[in-house]
Amino acid sequence: QLRAVQAQGQDVAVSNPCFEVWLLLHLGPAGPAFEKSADVGGRLRERAGAYNKSAPDLAFVDGATLRQAMDRARGGDLNPQAPYPPNPGTRVYRVLDCLHALGALSLG
């Protein structure tokens, strides 16, 4: 399905193994690969002090950490043409790059 979406000129901001990798990148490099998605939450809790997927406290996300997360995600995306980013990896940075290019997001 991902290739069908891309064939239509659209893209998807895939995270591997899960979206929480994007949040983790706000706090530093993601680290080694994860065996399962639940492990990402554990690493996120270690770094952030707490994390609840149902009601996340994202106080650690701000302009500075957003730019750092984007740089880390971009730097870790070793093959941007591949259908999925490596584990751990995310392509959320692509959405933010597009928003920035459209003037809808300031990364000042």
Side-chain angles (χ1 to χ4, degrees), residues 13-30 34 40 44 47 51 58 60-74 85 88-97 105 107:
V14 176
S15 295
N16 185 10
C18 60
F19 175 76
E20 281 75 15
V21 168
W22 169 245
L23 299 177
L24 189 61
L25 290 173
H26 286 74
L27 300 168
F34 295 97
V40 182
L44 189 53
R47 293 200 191 160
Y51 178 71
L58 302 179
F60 58 88
V61 176
D62 60 24
T65 64
L66 179 66
R67 286 186 299 280
Q68 291 170 349
M70 289 174 69
D71 289 344
R72 289 181 184 118
R74 191 179 292 105
T90 182
R91 295 207 171 123
V92 171
Y93 73 90
R94 289 182 177 183
V95 173
L96 300 175
D97 283 343
L105 175 68
L107 297 173

Side-chain angles (χ1 to χ4, degrees), residues 72-88:
R72 289 181 184 118
R74 191 179 292 105
D77 196 2
L78 303 177
N79 186 1
Q81 302 308 313
Y84 299 97
N87 177 355

